[in-house]
Amino acid sequence: MAKKASFLTRDISSCAPVHDKKRKSKQQVEKYEKIPRKMQQEEEKELIHLLPIKDKHGLIPQTMEKPVVPEAEEEEEPMDQDKLNNEEEPESLAMLNAQEQFELRSQRLMEKKLRIASLSSAILADPHVNIKKLKELRAMLMETDPCIAVTVRKLVMVSLMEVFKDIVPSYRIRPLTEEEKATKVKKETLQLREFEEGLVSQYKFYLEDLEQTVKDWKQKKEKRSQAVSLENYKGLAEVAIRCICDLLVALPHFNFLNNIIVMVAPLMNDPARNVSEMCCDAVSTLLKQDKLGQASLAVVKVISGMIKSRNYNVKPQVLNCFLCLRIKEVEMKKDTEDTAPKKKFMSFKEKKANLSRMQRKWKKAEEKLQKELLEAEASESKDKKIKLHTETLNIVFLTYFRILKKAQKSVLLPSVLEGLAKFAHLINLEFFDDLLAVLYGLITSGDLTVRESLHCIVTSFHILSGQGDVLNIDPLKFYNHLYKTLLTLHAGGTNDNTAIVLKCLDIMLTKRRKQVTLQRAQGFLKRLSTLGLHLMPDSCVGILAANRTLMHTFPKCDILLDNEMQGSGVYLPELDVPEYCNPQNTSLWELHLLKTHFHPVVRKFAVHLMKGAPSEGSGALSMELSRRTPVQLFEDYSVKDMTFNPPVAGPSSMKKEHFTIGDAFLDSELKAQIDAALQDESEQMSLDFTLQQET
């Protein structure tokens, strides 16, 4: 105990023996001297434990000091350098000439480009590991160097857009619940969650930066940094709008779709033409490629609300986007879920009667697995698609009917009529009477153009050809209006209304052949032949192809190829009612003029119709022409480019075997005499005819 006590109370720094009592009594020390002195101590350095070394005495631990990097100083130094550089820039740039300034700008811009390229490549190489570099790349959107700020920001915007298009997954990322966050998961799952959270947050910040750029351009705000002038903000905003539109088309399945649509919809009606066309094209592309219907419904809701809030004062291109909706394809296509036989599960009574206890247990587990697999299928059911499309069409028709009711003189009326013509077969039967009355009122009002009135006619007959067959409605007034409108087609230039006329003829005469009288068909055939005389070649080809279809549909129309008259009366071409203009008492003399037309296809159709439009024989058309519809022929032989279609063959090149230079004579004696006369100019022979007579 004494030893232990002395060891505990002993001054370790002393070298005196432990039991030397005399020395202990002589050297008394004060208590305060036992207190260790407070000296300047060095900070404890963090040690790294290495693998131990083993020798004959045992294990020898090995450690080394962890190198400490002064991060704060390193971060502050470039900041200070940047500030000093920025302060020195105006003075240095003022002292440089134009060439040196250009070289300095090119050097700085190349450094930024390399930095953008390295960050983008690192992110694309391993997105899960380098997701934090997105923040570093996005920070370059705040470039403050006035010489290269605009260019660098544009490059960063486009680079981030391409990076997001590559690394974004093909599913929507939802936020985690509190229970999911508290649950312990594997390391791979945790890494995936961190990647998804970082991706969504950086994608959100990127969209906010783009939106803020567009807002600053619209509101003409000046930034404090003055890095980008107000004049350059337009080009910066256009690049931002282009990035937003590309993300809308490329990532409609990802987060913040509704936010992007809300950003793009007002820009569709922007006064700047290029911005408006850019946004309208993006929305049209999205509607064309949308197969599920969710994105289409979101777009239609936003656009419909915007049109109503602006009191229908928007561009027609905004409403024309509704024509790109893929509504018809759903009814024609069948999903795999409908064609595949549905899995039928056994009831509890059937299991108890037919299966043992162990078999019921296995059957229950199997059915549970089958249900989970069905729920995990990515294919959407047909019922869900039809529900989404029905809701979308309801909003579209609501917008159309509002414009027909409140804004009939609006510039949106042609787009409304064209949209009704496309989706008329999907309108509810209850609205048919009122809609036909409104359309006929618009036609008779005289306020519509030729194209708008043709759209009204197409819409009316689309309604009557579908569910409208059960309605007792006489469309005679629409036939008379089309017969009257035919001669108003423009004779010069490209006439786009011809395609609508051909559609009207197909739906009014060919598809409703049982409701059309022979006199009406003959009246239209005669007027179309007259119309073909003054139209451009592409329109003339379409009209003659429609006449061929009429002669096949109504074989008794071949009476117009004879000169004989049937019944009393004279043909009245100025009358606007086809039944009462006596078309049976005339002939198709226009075909004789068209037989000498300069266009080869027009000549072929004219000769074909003069022979009665035979399907086979010497007067039949080739398979290439006979299988195409009138609308297809009109589009194939279009003259929009102001060129001959098909091109006119050039003159045959006749090569001469030899060329002669100067005068050439066939008679060699005559040539010799002429040469002699020219050489001997001094000797002139007198031509005295009296001497010749005397001899």
Side-chain angles (χ1 to χ4, degrees), residues 371-387:
K371 288 181 179 179
E372 291 178 355
L373 291 175
L374 290 174
E375 291 175 357
E377 282 185 355
S379 60
E380 296 290 333
S381 64
K382 184 178 180 181
D383 296 336
K384 188 176 181 180
K385 288 183 181 179
I386 292 177
K387 185 177 179 181

Side-chain angles (χ1 to χ4, degrees), residues 139-156:
M140 298 181 70
L141 285 172
M142 300 296 116
E143 178 63 39
T144 56
D145 189 352
C147 298
I148 59 174
V150 178
T151 308
V152 170
R153 292 187 184 188
K154 289 180 180 180
L155 292 174
V156 174

Side-chain angles (χ1 to χ4, degrees), residues 216 219-226 228-230 233:
D216 292 342
Q219 299 173 1
K220 296 183 178 180
K221 284 185 177 180
E222 293 188 5
K223 294 293 184 180
R224 296 179 182 177
S225 63
Q226 299 293 332
V228 180
S229 61
L230 200 59
Y233 246 97

